[in-house]
Every structure is written in structure tokens, then in C-alpha cells.
């Protein structure tokens, strides 16, 4: 899977997403599935999947409703 990472906010986007801002290719995702990357968002509180280009994929506490938004 090819994804990019916004280096300022730790948000993961598809390369064509207009919301990606300044980003770099995220090589970690190359050998991973979207499901495994989504599961990572539960384990790493700083990691978040873009709601615009990957709707419904993020499992972070903010998106899943399992925690308080900060």
C-alpha cells in the first residue's frame, strides 16, 4: 500500500489527498495492509488516518469514540 505521512501532524493520507499538506512517502506502509495500519492507530496515540481520504478506517480513540479528544 502506498501512503504518505504528514510530518507535522502525524496524519496518514493517500498520496492524492488534497488535505495531505507537506508530506513524505511513508515506507512503513509499503508492506502492510490498511487493516494492520488502522490497528496501529489504537496502539500509537500520535498516529491518525485522514478522515477525508481514508473514511472509517482510523481506529484511534478520537475516531472510535473510545477516548476524549484533546
Amino acid at each position: 500500500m502506498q501512503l504518505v505521512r504528514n510530518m507535522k501532524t502525524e496524519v496518514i493520507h493517500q498520496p492524492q489527498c488534497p488535505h495531505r499538506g507537506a508530506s513524505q512517502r511513508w515506507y512503513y506502509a509499503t508492506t502492510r495492509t490498511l487493516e494492520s495500519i488502522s490497528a496501529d492507530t489504537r496502539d500509537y496515540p500520535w498516529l491518525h488516518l485522514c478522515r477525508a481520504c481514508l473514511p472509517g478506517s482510523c481506529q484511534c480513540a478520537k475516531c472510535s469514540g473510545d477516548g476524549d479528544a484533546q
Side-chain angles (χ1 to χ4, degrees):
M1 164 158 259
Q2 185 175 349
L3 296 172
V4 296
R5 181 174 142 202
N6 182 303
M7 303 309 286
K8 182 176 181 182
T9 61
E10 306 295 343
V11 177
I12 308 306
H13 301 269
Q14 291 188 19
Q16 69 276 16
C17 181
H19 303 283
R20 73 182 184 282
S23 58
Q24 295 179 358
R25 185 170 178 188
W26 196 39
Y27 291 98
Y28 174 76
T30 303
T31 60
R32 312 265 321 224
T33 64
L34 183 56
E35 292 80 18
S36 68
I37 293 167
S38 179
D40 287 345
T41 63
R42 282 190 312 255
D43 301 329
Y44 300 102
W46 47 265
L47 186 65
H48 179 75
L49 298 178
C50 177
R51 292 179 188 168
C53 65
L54 298 165
S57 295
C58 194
Q59 295 182 17
C60 77
K62 184 177 179 182
C63 289
S64 66
D66 293 337
D68 296 330
Q70 295 182 3

